[in-house]
Amino acid sequence: VAAVVWVRRNRANFVSIPATLVFVVYAIIPGTSTFLASRSILQGAAEAPFFALLGLCNLASGYLRWADDLSDDAALEGRPVHPVARARERVKVARHTLWVLLVVVF
């Protein structure tokens, strides 16, 4: 109760964050993840193959997040899943195989 009273009295002192900034950050995070995964793949081609496998695993994770979003949107809107997102099960198996390989190699 005391915390609620304190928050109500000091509400004007809190910093408000514009909604646009929240959505921009939310949109930047997957792009950054994909960029870093691609960078790891290229770094693995030049230095150590381990980095290439790690980059492929991270890129597969990014694809799975994106494909899950597309599938959820399609289910909500009652339309068929986009053909690009239909490879989820195969990518899940490939990512799991890569993950096991990375654990064994490491």
Side-chain angles (χ1 to χ4, degrees):
V1 175
V4 173
V5 171
W6 182 83
V7 168
R8 286 186 181 175
R9 286 183 184 166
N10 295 307
R11 191 179 309 172
N13 295 336
F14 290 114
V15 177
S16 66
I17 298 173
T20 305
L21 178 63
V22 173
F23 289 116
V24 166
V25 170
Y26 183 75
I28 286 175
I29 291 172
T32 304
S33 174
T34 303
F35 167 74
L36 291 174
S38 301
R39 186 173 150 240
S40 290
I41 293 170
L42 294 175
Q43 184 179 8
E47 294 176 17
F50 176 80
F51 289 118
L53 294 176
L54 184 62
L56 282 173
C57 190
N58 290 335
L59 198 59
S61 295
Y63 168 80
L64 288 174
R65 282 192 299 269
W66 176 72
D68 286 341
D69 285 346
L70 279 179
S71 297
D72 292 342
D73 289 346
L76 283 174
E77 295 173 1
R79 57 182 171 81
V81 178
H82 193 277
V84 175
R86 290 187 184 149
R88 285 184 324 183
E89 295 306 317
R90 288 181 290 191
V91 173
K92 281 183 185 179
V93 171
R95 185 188 66 163
H96 181 71
T97 305
L98 276 172
W99 181 80
V100 169
L101 183 64
L102 286 169
V103 170
V104 169
V105 169
F106 187 68

